[in-house]
């Protein structure tokens, strides 16, 4: 059960992939206790043997406890039920809600958040649908069942690419680039699209995804080269049952209106340049990604330690996420990990970050 009053943190380890064939797995999940264990091998074993020491490999275990953990057998629905559903419930009650995915490149963040539920053959496979499509479907299921209220839904989508904020919706010629963040974490000039059906909203986000920047690296065939931010504004007003109810006064009815905003963030994966093998433009992208993730990590550290000064202005990413991690917002963080022993150091770094985030109130 997710805790209240602080950032709720979940960890998911993906199945092994082809490039990891032959790699030992170093991560195990216990869903009964919500614990994640990473087994690290002694990195000095070779030097120790050369110095005449023992060839026995020492193993160190690091253990982490979160609000929920998901092993490679966990389904997309399992993730939605624990991570997404509670946040949507809060948004419909008039809170702001945020869901963020964090982890090294190729760890399964985009799959967990954005998978559209379409199979390789082009046929629908709802079981594979990620958090965002499930949130959209659940939102409109709720709207359809609530006959006492009238809803309006708007959507926006942006990317932070090389420290520039670009709107991803609207006609190509109209899509604004180089947008600025206001003092309230709002982006000036961002396009908001009204959506009356789940199809409208899903098509809106798919159009935005088509404008995202991806590239192939050694670690990921479709590596996100930007941070993607999806936002949904929901307004709920009482439905006037008859003409007499409508005459009771527009002001009185308006006072009962409820407004909520849902933000879903697919953070570009942190990457070690030597492993990803990027050069040129992709090297610049990776440098900017790592720099903004470092800034994000710094505000998480400062918030966890309850410092008086929080360096939100260090990057565009942290300015946009100020309300998500430091404001009056219900926030869930999903950290995604590779099971491979080759990625053990990155996995530990990811889980240490998650542990700090769990201390944010």
């Amino acid at each position: 059960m997710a805790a209240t009053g602080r950032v709720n943190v979940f960890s998911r380890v993906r199945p092994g992939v082809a490039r990891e064939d032959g790699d030992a797995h170093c991560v195990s999940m216990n869903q009964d206790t919500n614990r994640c264990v990473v087994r690290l091998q002694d990195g000095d074993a070779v030097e120790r043997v050369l110095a005449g020491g023992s060839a026995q490999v020492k193993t160190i275990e690091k253990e982490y406890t979160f609000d929920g953990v998901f092993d490679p057998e966990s389904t997309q629905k399992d993730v939605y039920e624990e991570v997404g559903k509670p946040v949507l419930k809060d948004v419909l009650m008039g809170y702001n809600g945020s869901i963020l995915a964090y982890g090294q490149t190729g760890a399964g963040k985009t799959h967990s958040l954005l998978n559209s539920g379409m199979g390789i053959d082009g046929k629908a496979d709802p079981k594979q649908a990620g958090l965002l499509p499930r949130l959209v479907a659940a939102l409109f299921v709720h709207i359809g069942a609530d006959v006492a209220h009238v809803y309006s839904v708007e959507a926006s989508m942006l990317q932070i690419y090389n420290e520039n904020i670009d709107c991803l919706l609207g006609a190509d010629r109209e899509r604004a680039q180089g947008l600025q963040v206001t003092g309230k974490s709002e982006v000036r000039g961002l396009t908001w699209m009204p959506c009356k059906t789940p199809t409208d909203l899903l098509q809106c986000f798919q159009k935005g995804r088509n404008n995202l920047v991806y590239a192939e690296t050694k670690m990921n065939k479709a590596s996100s080269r930007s941070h993607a931010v999806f936002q949904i504004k929901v307004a709920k007003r009482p439905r006037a049952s008859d003409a007499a109810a409508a005459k009771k006064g527009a002001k009185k009815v308006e006072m009962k209106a409820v407004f909520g905003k849902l933000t879903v963030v697919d953070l570009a994966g942190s990457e070690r340049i030597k492993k990803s093998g990027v050069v040129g433009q992709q090297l610049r992208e990776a440098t900017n990604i790592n720099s903004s993730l470092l800034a994000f990590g710094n505000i998480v550290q400062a918030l966890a330690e309850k410092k008086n000064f929080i360096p939100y202005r260090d990057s565009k990413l942290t300015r946009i996420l100020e309300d998500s991690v430091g404001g009056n917002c219900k926030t869930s963080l999903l950290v995604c990990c590779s099971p491979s022993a080759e990625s053990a150091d990155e996995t530990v770094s990811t889980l240490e970050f998650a542990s700090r985030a769990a201390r944010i109130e």
Side-chain angles (χ1 to χ4, degrees), residues 254-313:
E254 189 66 29
M255 286 176 63
K256 295 181 181 179
V258 174
F259 301 91
K261 183 173 75 172
L262 174 63
T263 301
V264 178
V265 185
D266 183 17
L267 295 166
S270 59
E271 57 185 81
R272 297 197 175 184
I273 307 302
K274 288 183 178 179
K275 284 191 175 182
S276 62
V278 294
V279 294
Q281 177 64 20
Q282 291 180 25
L283 176 59
R284 182 187 173 212
E285 293 165 351
T287 302
N288 278 298
I289 289 169
N290 289 340
S291 176
S292 59
L293 289 175
L294 176 61
F296 182 46
N298 289 338
I299 67 166
V300 167
Q301 181 77 24
L303 287 166
E305 295 176 357
K306 297 181 174 58
K307 291 185 176 179
N308 292 327
F309 174 72
I310 312 298
Y312 290 114
R313 291 182 174 273

Side-chain angles (χ1 to χ4, degrees), residues 92 140-151 236-237 239:
L92 290 168
F140 279 94
V141 166
H142 176 89
I143 290 173
D146 187 359
V147 296
H149 295 91
V150 177
Y151 290 78
K236 178 174 72 172
R237 296 177 174 84
R239 186 189 300 275

Side-chain angles (χ1 to χ4, degrees), residues 65-261:
T65 302
F66 300 114
D67 294 295
V69 298
F70 306 99
D71 62 23
E73 303 301 318
S74 298
T75 66
Q76 296 280 65
K77 183 180 180 181
D78 294 335
V79 176
Y80 166 75
E81 290 291 330
E82 285 203 56
V83 180
K85 189 175 181 179
V87 176
L88 178 61
K89 181 180 178 181
D90 288 329
V91 170
L92 290 168
M93 293 172 62
Y95 293 96
N96 289 337
S98 295
I99 300 171
L100 299 87
Y102 177 92
Q104 77 173 115
T105 184
K109 300 179 300 299
T110 300
H111 171 76
S112 296
L113 281 188
L114 308 182
N115 195 308
S116 63
M118 295 297 291
I120 298 176
D121 56 2
K123 295 181 180 179
D125 185 6
K127 291 182 179 180
Q128 294 302 317
L131 271 167
L132 186 60
R134 290 178 185 275
L135 288 163
V136 169
L139 169 62
F140 279 94
V141 166
H142 176 89
I143 290 173
D146 187 359
V147 296
H149 295 91
V150 177
Y151 290 78
S152 62
V153 178
E154 292 182 301
S156 73
M157 184 176 172
L158 62 87
Q159 72 175 356
I160 304 171
Y161 175 66
N162 285 338
E163 275 301 286
N164 288 312
I165 302 173
D166 304 330
C167 177
L168 298 177
L169 300 182
D172 289 342
R173 293 182 180 179
E174 298 173 0
R175 286 196 289 115
Q177 297 181 324
L179 300 177
Q180 299 300 314
V181 187
T182 68
K184 297 181 179 179
S185 295
E186 296 287 339
V187 178
R188 187 183 298 114
L190 189 63
T191 298
W192 287 88
M193 306 289 287
C195 301
K196 294 183 178 180
T197 68
T199 300
D200 289 345
L201 191 46
L202 289 171
Q203 287 180 345
C204 193
F205 286 143
Q206 186 56 50
K207 180 178 181 179
R209 283 196 69 189
N210 292 341
N211 293 322
L212 282 170
V213 180
Y214 292 95
E216 182 174 350
T217 70
K218 290 181 180 179
M219 297 291 292
N220 191 351
K221 286 187 176 181
S223 174
S224 301
R225 312 313 290 168
S226 64
H227 307 296
V229 181
F230 306 78
Q231 293 182 309
I232 303 172
K233 287 181 179 178
V234 182
K236 178 174 72 172
R237 296 177 174 84
R239 186 189 300 275
S241 58
D242 51 39
K247 290 180 181 179
K248 286 184 177 179
K251 290 185 179 179
K252 208 166 189 179
V253 174
E254 189 66 29
M255 286 176 63
K256 295 181 181 179
V258 174
F259 301 91
K261 183 173 75 172

Side-chain angles (χ1 to χ4, degrees), residues 54-73:
S54 170
Q56 183 177 1
V57 177
K58 299 178 182 178
T59 301
I60 303 170
E61 288 192 352
K62 287 182 173 287
E63 185 175 294
Y64 305 88
T65 302
F66 300 114
D67 294 295
V69 298
F70 306 99
D71 62 23
E73 303 301 318

